Amino acid sequence: MTKTSPAPSSAPAGAIEIMPMTAEHLPQALSLSQDVQWPYRIEDWEVAFGLGHGFAAEKDGELVGTALWWPYAPDFATAGMIIVSEKVQRRGIGARLMEALLSDAGERRVVLNSTAEGQKLYLGTGFEPYSIVLQHQAVLSRAPEVDPSVPLRNAEAKDDDAILAIDRAGAGMGRAALINAMREGAETLVVYRGEGVTGYGVVRRWGRGVVVGPVVAEDADDARALIAALAGRHVGTFVRIDVTESCGLAPWLETLGLPRAGRVVTMALGKPPEPDSSATLFALANQSLG
C-alpha cells in the first residue's frame, strides 16, 4: 500500500471516514495513545508507521481512530496500535478500521495481542486466542546476576544473517525488516558458542525508558543470561519486557524487581505461526509488532 495523502473529503459534517494513514496523522495519533495511557513517544509512532501500513478514522478533520499492520514473510502479518477515541466509541469505528486493515492484508494470516477490552471485537472478526503475553516493568534498581557459563558478546556485522535466521526459527515467520529496525541504534547481544550464534537479544530506547526485546534463544538459561545482561546496562532506568507466559520466565523477572504490570491474549486469524524447535521467542519487540 502506498502511503499517499488522502483525497479531499466530501463527507457530510459529523461523518466518520476511514482512510489510509499518513505521516501527517502521527502527532494526533500520539495524542490518542496518550489518552489511553499507552507510553508511546512520537519516535515510536514514526518507527511503527515506517515499518507497516495503517488506517485512520477522521471526524471533521480530527483523528479519532487508528489501526496499523505489519507484513512478515512469507504470508503473515501482525496488527496493533488499534485505538478508538472515547468520544466516538460504540459506533462501530473499531470494526470498520479492522475491516479496512484485514482487506489490505489480503490473504495473510494475522496475529495480534488483545487487551480484555478488545477481545470482543477480534473474536467477532474471526480471531482465535492461542497464547498469553505478560508485561513486566519497573525502574530497575540493581543489575541482575548474569550466568557466567553462557557465552555472550556484543553483536557484530558478521552475525546479521545468523540473527535473522534464529529469529525466523523462534517467531515462525520472517521478520527481517522488523529486526533490522529494532537493532538500529540499539544494543544487541548474542549467545556465541563454537558452532556460531545460537541466540540474540536487543535493548532499545522506547516509551518511558527502554524495552528488552526481541529475545530469541535455544533455552531459558540462555534467555535469562541475555535479559540479565541487557537489563543490567540500564540500572536506574524504566525497563519493560513483554514475555510469553509459556516461556516460564515471569517468576524470575519478579525476582529482578520487574513485577507483572499487564496481560494480553495473543490471537490469530488463520493458523498461528509455527516456530522451529531449535529456538524460542522469549520476549517480544513490543505487543503491537510482535
Side-chain angles (χ1 to χ4, degrees):
M1 183 185 73
T2 303
K3 296 176 181 178
T4 57
S5 297
S9 173
S10 58
I16 295 176
E17 295 181 274
I18 307 298
M19 64 187 67
M21 193 172 183
T22 73
E24 287 71 30
H25 286 118
L26 296 183
Q28 289 189 75
L30 175 64
S31 296
L32 279 182
S33 60
Q34 290 171 337
D35 288 345
V36 293
Q37 299 182 341
W38 289 3
Y40 296 119
R41 304 170 300 152
I42 190 65
E43 295 88 348
D44 303 323
W45 270 101
E46 289 168 348
V47 169
F49 176 73
L51 283 169
H53 313 284
F55 288 90
E58 277 193 7
K59 179 177 181 290
D60 297 332
E62 177 188 0
L63 185 70
V64 293
T66 62
L68 277 69
W69 72 275
W70 300 273
Y72 297 142
D75 57 358
F76 282 98
T78 59
M81 300 174 98
I82 300 164
I83 309 172
V84 176
S85 171
E86 185 175 353
K87 67 180 72 174
V88 295
Q89 288 184 5
R90 293 171 293 280
R91 294 175 60 177
I93 307 307
R96 291 175 62 192
L97 285 165
M98 285 301 298
E99 180 181 9
L101 184 158
L102 294 176
S103 176
D104 204 35
E107 297 301 313
R108 292 177 181 270
R109 292 179 277 174
V110 182
V111 176
L112 57 76
N113 287 299
S114 174
T115 61
E117 294 79 10
Q119 286 182 45
K120 181 178 180 180
L121 168 63
Y122 306 133
L123 288 169
T125 314
F127 284 83
E128 296 185 1
Y130 72 93
S131 185
I132 300 292
V133 169
L134 304 176
Q135 173 187 335
H136 289 256
Q137 63 186 35
V139 174
L140 190 66
S141 61
R142 58 181 173 82
E145 183 178 348
V146 181
D147 183 350
S149 71
V150 179
L152 303 177
R153 65 164 170 79
N154 291 322
E156 302 171 1
K158 66 182 181 181
D159 302 324
D160 291 354
D161 289 345
I163 287 171
L164 293 179
I166 291 163
D167 185 81
R168 188 182 309 112
M173 49 187 164
R175 310 189 301 171
L178 170 67
I179 302 310
N180 291 335
M182 294 300 96
R183 292 184 58 203
E184 186 173 348
E187 302 164 75
T188 305
L189 289 176
V190 296
V191 180
Y192 189 84
R193 294 190 170 90
E195 65 273 22
V197 173
T198 61
Y200 85 96
V202 179
V203 63
R204 70 188 192 283
R205 179 78 176 88
W206 184 87
R208 296 169 60 184
V210 298
V211 63
V212 177
V215 174
V216 181
E218 285 187 330
D219 57 39
D221 288 339
D222 287 0
R224 281 190 288 264
L226 285 164
I227 293 166
L230 291 166
R233 297 181 174 191
H234 297 278
V235 174
T237 301
F238 190 88
V239 174
R240 172 171 170 168
I241 181 168
D242 293 276
V243 295
T244 63
E245 184 178 56
S246 61
C247 80
L249 293 188
W252 172 73
L253 291 171
E254 298 270 358
T255 71
L256 303 186
L258 296 173
R260 190 177 116 183
R263 176 185 183 274
V264 293
V265 177
T266 307
M267 310 179 77
L269 183 64
K271 190 176 182 180
E274 296 179 280
D276 188 281
S277 60
S278 64
T280 298
L281 176 65
F282 286 87
L284 282 59
N286 66 32
Q287 290 184 9
S288 291
L289 295 166

